[in-house]
Amino acid sequence: MWPNRRLCDLLKIEHPIIQAPMAGSATPELAAAVSNAGGLGSLGCASMLPDGLRNVARQMRALTGRPFNLNFFVFPRPDTGDAVLTQVIDRLRPYYEELSLGEPSRRLPPIGPGFDEEKLELLLEIQPPVVSFHFGIPDAAAVGRLKQAGIAIIGTATNVAEARKLADGGADAVIAQGWEAGGHRGSHAPNGPGDGVGTMALVPQVVDAVELPVIAAGGIADGRGIAAAFALGVSGVQIGTGFLSCDEAGTDPPRRALIRTATDMDTMVTDAFTGRAARARRTRYALEMEESRVPLPDFPQMVALSAPLGGDKDFAFHLYGQAAALNRELPAGQLVRTLVAETGEVFDALSAGKTTPA
Ligand SMILES: Cc1cc2nc3c(=O)[nH]c(=O)nc-3n(C[C@H](O)[C@H](O)[C@H](O)COP(=O)(O)O)c2cc1C
C-alpha cells in the first residue's frame, strides 16, 4: 500500500514507520513490539555505558528477529567556563532555596564527547542493523566503518543545510524533524529556542534538497499525519510522542497523566533543562528561564544543575510534542497496525475524492 518503499527497502522493514529513539522512554519491549509489527523500533542509547549497551542489544535480539535501531548523540566534549557557571548558579540559587536544596553544585560532571572511538568499536562489535544520530553525524572515517559493517545510518536534520550535510557525510536516510517534535531538536549546533521550521514547511524542502529517502518527524500521530507526510514526498515517518502512551513505554506515571489531558498548547521549546533546545512541557521553570535568559552550561552539563529541581512539578522536565492530545493508550504492536490501517483509509479516501476519515 505504501506509495514509496525506499525506506522499507533500505531498512528491510514492512511498514515505513519508525518509533523514535527516546532516551529513558523507549524500552527494549517497546522497540521490539514495533519491530515485530513491521515498523522499526529504536532505542535512545546516548547515555548508556558499554555493558548497558551490550545488554539492550542482547535484549532486542532475544525479543525480535527483525531490524532495530540504536541512537546516539553527536556533540563535542562540553567545556563550560567559570563565568557562565557563576551566572547560572546565581540565577538558579533562588529556586534551590525555595525547594530547600542547599547551594547549587559548582562541580559539573566530566562527560562526552557524545560519540567517540569507544562507542564506534562497540557498535562494530554489536552490529545493530540500523544506527541513527541526533545533533550531527560522526566523521567520515567512522561513518565509513559503520557502513562497511553493513549498518544503515540515519541522521536528523532540522533545516535544509543540515540535511545536505548529512547527505554529504554519508547518511543513508535523513530525518526532517519539524518544530512540532517532542524532545530535543536535532540541530547540529546549539541554537536559540525560537529557531525552528515546522514539519509542513521543512519536509518538502528537504525532499527537494537531497536524493536520499527522507523521514518526516514532528507532530505526526495518526494515519492523517502519515498520509500527509507521504503527500510531501517522504519515504517514511518517525513518531516519538505517539508511542509514549503505549503499554511498553518507560513513560513515568506523572507524564502519562499529563499526556492524557494534553492540549496543543501544552509545550514550548526550552534549553533550560539540558543546555540544548528541546520541546517539553511549559512549566514555571521553563517560562521564567526563557524570560530571563542567562548563558547556560554546555549540553549536557546543564542537566547537573536542573535535575535536582526536577522533583517539583513546576520544575520537572517532561518531553513531549505538540500532537500529544492525539495519543492512544494501546500496546505498541496494535498502535502500529492501527496507524497502518488508518493511513490506508486516508490514501483510499483521497484517491476516491472523499473526505479524509477523522
Ligand atoms: C520523550 C522523548 C525523548 C526523545 N529522545 C530522543 C533521543 O534520545 N534521540 C533522538 O534522536 N530523538 C529523541 N527524541 C526526538 C524524536 O526522535 C523525534 O524527533 C520526535 O519525537 C518526533 O516528534 P513527535 O514527538 O511529535 O512524534 C525524543 C522525543 C521524545 C518525545
Side-chain angles (χ1 to χ4, degrees), residues 306-331:
S306 65
L309 300 164
D312 185 283
K313 73 174 176 34
D314 286 343
F315 296 83
F317 189 32
H318 288 304
L319 292 169
Y320 57 89
Q322 289 185 326
L326 296 173
N327 270 26
R328 267 97 35 113
E329 298 186 2
L330 292 172

Side-chain angles (χ1 to χ4, degrees), residues 32 262 281 286 303:
R281 183 167 172 81
V303 176

Side-chain angles (χ1 to χ4, degrees), residues 155-167 174-179 185-191 195-199 201-207 209-210 214 217:
T156 296
T158 61
N159 58 40
V160 169
E162 289 173 355
R164 288 206 175 99
K165 205 174 114 200
L166 293 173
V174 170
I175 298 163
Q177 187 201 34
W179 183 239
R185 305 202 31 75
S187 312
H188 295 190
N191 53 0
D195 274 347
V197 185
T199 305
L202 176 67
V203 167
Q205 295 186 74
V206 171
V207 168
V210 298
V214 174

Side-chain angles (χ1 to χ4, degrees), residues 120 123-125 127-129 142-152:
L120 173 64
L123 283 178
L124 293 170
E125 170 197 319
Q127 303 248 345
V143 169
R145 290 184 67 197
L146 290 171
K147 289 176 80 160
Q148 224 172 357
I151 299 171

Side-chain angles (χ1 to χ4, degrees), residues 20-25 43-46 71-73 132-135 156 175 177-178 180-186 216-221 238-244 255 279 318-324:
M22 296 182 283
S25 300
L43 290 175
C45 303
N71 169 264
F72 296 86
F73 291 170
S132 71
F133 294 104
H134 215 50
F135 304 131
T156 296
I175 298 163
Q177 187 201 34
E180 299 89 325
H184 277 96
R185 305 202 31 75
I220 299 169
Q238 176 159 295
I239 298 176
T241 300
F243 282 99
L244 285 176
R255 188 149 36 119
R279 181 169 293 283
H318 288 304
L319 292 169
Y320 57 89
Q322 289 185 326

